[in-house]
Each structure stands twice: as structure tokens, then as C-alpha cells.
Amino acid sequence: WFPRQNKIDKFCQMSTSFDVAQIPALEASVTEQANGSSPYSFVALKSLLKLYTSTASPPSLLPTLLLLSLPVPSDFKTLVHLLPASHSASAEVDLGSALCLGDFTSFWSSASSHAGFCACAGLAGRVRDSVVRRLGTLYDDIDVAAYLKATGLDAVEECEGVEKVEGGKVFFVKEKVEEVKVE
């Protein structure tokens, strides 16, 4: 576990978390998330974005914090709505929009050439996992070709959420729902 992350999460929940003096600590947290040495923390991303929008500080990590939120579409949308008009992150917003709209081919095409996306350790894998979960909620199975386009892969890899590949189709794991009897 990451003990420093608990400290960051507690800090972000305190009323003093919007003190501009805390920007370096939050930027360090975002950098750790980007290099994979710290787990994802939406609270830290949102707190840093709020500090960036309330100060004249240059938002040096704005693209990175938007990229880190891509695997969680609701977090990404929240951060985009918090962006003031004066802060531009159009490439990252375009990436997130393509992902949220399910335009996976466009997303992977753009992401593969986006330096910031490629620099975030494990981000492609987390986005892929998110896409597989999303596909699994929509479909029982899909053609292998459609799966490869959606995940940006060249071959089907074993991953959480995929039950099996058979007969040219990818079958998704379905969560078991217990039947509730009403008496």
C-alpha cells in the first residue's frame, strides 16, 4: 500500500486543502500517479485543478491530471467541467471526448501519438481495462475484430473481464446477480 497516498487523501479533504502553498505537494502526488508509483486519486486531481483555477499559477500538470482521469469517464467529465475557459487542454479534452463517446478507433489513433498519454505509466492498460468493462456491460460477446479496434490491440490478450475467445468472438465475464424474492 502507499502510505503517502493516505496523507494526500486526508489533506485533500481538509478545509485548508485549497491553500496555494499546497500546490507543490499535490503536483508531486499527480506526478507519482503518472509514473505509476502511487494509486489513482481523483481527490488529489480535483483539488489541484481547483487550485490551478483559483490562482494565476501556470497549470503545468493540467494535461497530465486530465489524462490520468481517462479510465474513469465520470471523473474525466467532472474535471473538464471545472476547467475555466482560460485554461486550454484541447488535445486531452478531445481524447477524453472520443473515449466517453465510444469512438475507440479515433481514441487509440490519437492516444498512440500523444506524448503525455504515452508517458503515463500503465495508463493505456487502465484505459483498456475500462473499455473492456464497458463493453462487457453492453454485450455478452463481440467479434474479435471489433474487440481489437475497441481496445487498440493487435491480438486478444488475457485480461480481467474477458471470459474466453471462441469461434471468432470474445465473450465477456458476466457478474452474477442474485435473484431477490419478494414475499
Side-chain angles (χ1 to χ4, degrees), residues 69-87:
S69 70
L70 286 175
V72 188
S74 59
D75 289 1
F76 175 79
K77 289 175 189 175
T78 299
L79 293 177
V80 168
H81 286 293
L82 292 174
L83 284 174
S86 62
H87 289 59

Side-chain angles (χ1 to χ4, degrees), residues 63 66-68 70 76 80 89-118 123 127 134:
L66 288 173
L67 290 171
L68 288 170
L70 286 175
F76 175 79
V80 168
S90 62
E92 293 75 24
V93 172
D94 290 346
L95 269 178
S97 296
L99 188 61
C100 290
L101 292 172
D103 185 358
F104 302 124
T105 304
S106 174
F107 170 80
W108 289 113
S109 173
S110 298
S112 66
S113 61
H114 189 287
F117 182 87
C118 296
L123 182 59
V127 170
R134 193 164 157 192

